[in-house]
């Protein structure tokens, strides 16, 4: 019996040891769970911190993009009658091409064609008859300017065959940033909304001059010209690209890109000011004349929307004389600055297409200086 009881004691001791081990194991397990929960929480916090950091970086990048933007505009106004000085339709077309090229080179945002002969023409729509007839030059000039500004892959959609554009194929292309090649990679593109059925809740399809069509974020009327901000393709195999419709001035104000010019017709000189598309109007107006002050001595103030106006064969005085809304005879009183951009000229006359290049070249450093002033930001 003594031997049997002696033999059983070690079993009890073992059970006791097991109990102690189990208790310890449970405590260790509890400690591990706690540690695992803490690690999980730390990982969650790290992910949240990384997300916040990514959002902050995205905001900073967006702010930097905003800083790249150009928030001022430059408009040019000139009479359509300058085409009447050309001897043939080919020369009229080429003259319009020179105007378009000069404005594109100097990043002009708006071209206003005004009628200094008093004819009321406000649209370039419909059929225009009587090419070459005096007084119809405004419409022809505006149409050619619009044609050249439009990207090549969109011209068939917006410009049917027209006699005004008979010799437009001879003109030098503008080659502006929004005139893209097929495989050129860009954040923005101009496009035309296609007449194609889409699934409910999906946006329209747009032809942006690429090998693939672009599906935008909203349904729009077919035939509209739109500016599209392209998203980066998720997979190269995707049949369509994705994009968002933005305003036409978005590339300029956000990314600082020159995105072409708009064309506006004005029935008279005063309509250039009264029908200004900007809510606050032109806060800087400049008239050009050989009787003006020297451009070298001028200091331009900061501005948001500048207008530079040119006269025709008889100068700005001709437009002032026939304007029924103006009671002044001296055109200098209409402008903030009345400047001579080519002093000591060697020719009796400077043609408007020449004055455009000369004046924009002379004004460029003054404009750059004015827009960098703190009050403009």
């Amino acid at each position: 019996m003594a031997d049997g009881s002696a033999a059983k004691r070690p079993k009890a001791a073992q059970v006791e040891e097991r109990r102690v081990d189990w208790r310890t194991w449970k405590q260790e397990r509890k400690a591990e769970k706690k540690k695992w929960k803490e690690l999980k929480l730390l990982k969650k916090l790290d992910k949240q911190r990384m997300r916040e950091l990514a959002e902050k970086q995205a905001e900073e990048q967006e702010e930097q993009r905003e800083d790249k933007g150009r928030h001022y505009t430059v408009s040019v106004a000139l009479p359509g009658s300058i085409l009447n000085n050309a001897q043939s339709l080919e020369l009229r077309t080429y003259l319009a091409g020179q105007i378009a090229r000069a404005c594109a080179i100097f990043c002009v945002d708006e071209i206003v064609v005004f009628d200094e002969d008093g004819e009321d023409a406000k649209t370039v729509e419909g059929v225009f008859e009587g090419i070459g007839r005096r007084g119809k030059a405004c419409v022809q000039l505006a149409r050619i300017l619009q044609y050249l500004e439009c990207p090549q892959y969109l011209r068939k959609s917006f410009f049917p065959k027209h006699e005004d554009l008979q010799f437009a194929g001879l003109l030098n292309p503008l080659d502006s940033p929004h005139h893209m090649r097929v495989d050129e990679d860009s954040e923005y593109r101009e496009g035309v909304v296609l007449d194609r059925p889409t699934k409910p809740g999906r946006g329209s399809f747009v032809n942006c001059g690429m090998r693939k069509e672009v599906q935008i974020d909203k349904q729009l009327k077919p035939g509209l010209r739109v500016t599209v901000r392209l998203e980066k393709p998720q997979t190269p195999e995707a049949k369509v690209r994705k994009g968002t419709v933005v305003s036409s001035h978005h590339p300029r104000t956000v990314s600082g890109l020159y995105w072409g010019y708009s064309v506006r017709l004005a029935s008279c000189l005063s309509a250039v000011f009264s029908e200004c598309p900007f809510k606050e109007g032109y806060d800087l107006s400049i008239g050009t004349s050989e009787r003006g002050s020297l451009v070298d001595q001028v200091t331009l103030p900061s501005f948001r929307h500048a207008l530079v106006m040119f006269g025709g064969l008889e100068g700005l005085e001709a437009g002032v004389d026939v304007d029924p809304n103006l009671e002044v005879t001296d055109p200098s009183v209409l402008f903030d600055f009345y400047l001579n951009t080519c002093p000591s000229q060697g020719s009796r006359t400077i043609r408007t297409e020449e004055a455009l290049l000369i004046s924009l070249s002379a004004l460029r450093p003054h404009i750059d200086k004015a827009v960098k002033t703190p009050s403009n930001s």
Side-chain angles (χ1 to χ4, degrees), residues 57 61 78 99 107 123 138 156 199 221 247 274 278 293 362:
Q57 285 176 346
Q61 285 177 359
L78 43 85
I99 300 293
C107 301
T123 179
C138 294
K156 282 186 179 179
K199 293 179 182 179
K221 186 180 176 183
S247 64
S274 61
F278 307 111
S293 307

Side-chain angles (χ1 to χ4, degrees), residues 149-155 157-158 178-180 188-194 205-210 212-214 216 220-230 244-246 248 259:
E149 187 276 335
C150 184
Q152 290 89 332
Y153 56 87
L154 295 180
R155 287 174 181 169
S157 301
F158 296 109
H178 65 302
H179 288 200
M180 304 287 179
Y188 303 95
R189 269 185 178 264
E190 289 292 291
V192 58
V193 180
L194 300 174
F205 289 98
V206 176
N207 172 23
C208 289
M210 304 166 70
K212 296 177 182 179
E213 291 173 356
V214 179
I216 54 176
L220 293 175
K221 186 180 176 183
L224 282 177
R225 178 175 167 177
V226 291
T227 305
V228 180
R229 185 176 185 176
L230 296 171
T244 307
V245 175
V246 295
S248 57
W259 213 245

Side-chain angles (χ1 to χ4, degrees), residues 284 299-303 365-376:
L284 175 64
T299 302
L300 300 180
S302 62
F303 65 90
H366 298 286
I367 289 173
D368 289 344
K369 190 177 178 181
V371 297
K372 286 175 184 174
T373 55
S375 57
N376 190 58

Side-chain angles (χ1 to χ4, degrees), residues 112-311:
V112 188
V113 181
F114 65 91
D115 187 1
E116 66 176 4
D117 296 327
E119 184 170 301
D120 191 8
K122 293 188 178 181
T123 179
V124 292
E125 301 297 329
V127 179
F128 164 51
E129 298 176 356
I131 296 173
R133 246 192 273 160
R134 189 172 182 84
K136 298 289 185 180
C138 294
V139 179
Q140 186 183 4
L141 176 57
R143 185 175 278 114
I144 296 171
L145 291 175
Q146 285 180 333
Y147 178 83
L148 287 174
E149 187 276 335
C150 184
Q152 290 89 332
Y153 56 87
L154 295 180
R155 287 174 181 169
K156 282 186 179 179
S157 301
F158 296 109
F159 294 92
K161 276 191 175 183
H162 197 283
E163 290 182 70
D164 279 1
L165 305 173
Q166 185 179 349
F167 297 102
L170 301 174
L171 299 178
N172 298 316
L174 299 190
D175 208 16
S176 296
H178 65 302
H179 288 200
M180 304 287 179
R181 278 69 172 173
V182 175
D183 297 315
E184 192 172 347
D185 190 27
S186 175
E187 186 179 3
Y188 303 95
R189 269 185 178 264
E190 289 292 291
V192 58
V193 180
L194 300 174
D195 190 6
R196 272 187 52 186
T198 55
K199 293 179 182 179
R202 299 286 183 89
S204 303
F205 289 98
V206 176
N207 172 23
C208 289
M210 304 166 70
R211 298 190 189 278
K212 296 177 182 179
E213 291 173 356
V214 179
Q215 190 166 29
I216 54 176
D217 57 329
K218 55 184 75 174
Q219 282 280 354
L220 293 175
K221 186 180 176 183
L224 282 177
R225 178 175 167 177
V226 291
T227 305
V228 180
R229 185 176 185 176
L230 296 171
E231 297 175 9
K232 290 185 178 178
Q234 301 294 333
T235 55
E237 298 83 17
K239 290 183 179 179
V240 295
R241 292 283 299 270
K242 297 288 184 182
T244 307
V245 175
V246 295
S247 64
S248 57
H249 57 75
H250 194 274
R252 170 180 62 82
T253 56
V254 175
S255 300
L257 295 171
Y258 175 61
W259 213 245
Y261 53 78
S262 62
V263 180
R264 176 164 67 91
L265 280 168
S267 57
C268 54
L269 192 146
S270 60
V272 175
F273 297 95
S274 61
E275 297 171 6
C276 174
F278 307 111
K279 190 177 179 181
E280 58 271 30
Y282 301 112
D283 51 357
L284 175 64
S285 57
I286 300 170
T288 58
S289 170
E290 61 181 4
R291 288 172 283 280
S293 307
L294 294 181
V295 68
D296 302 330
Q297 300 170 358
V298 73
T299 302
L300 300 180
S302 62
F303 65 90
R304 295 282 292 179
H305 306 292
L307 170 70
V308 184
M309 188 176 287
F310 299 87

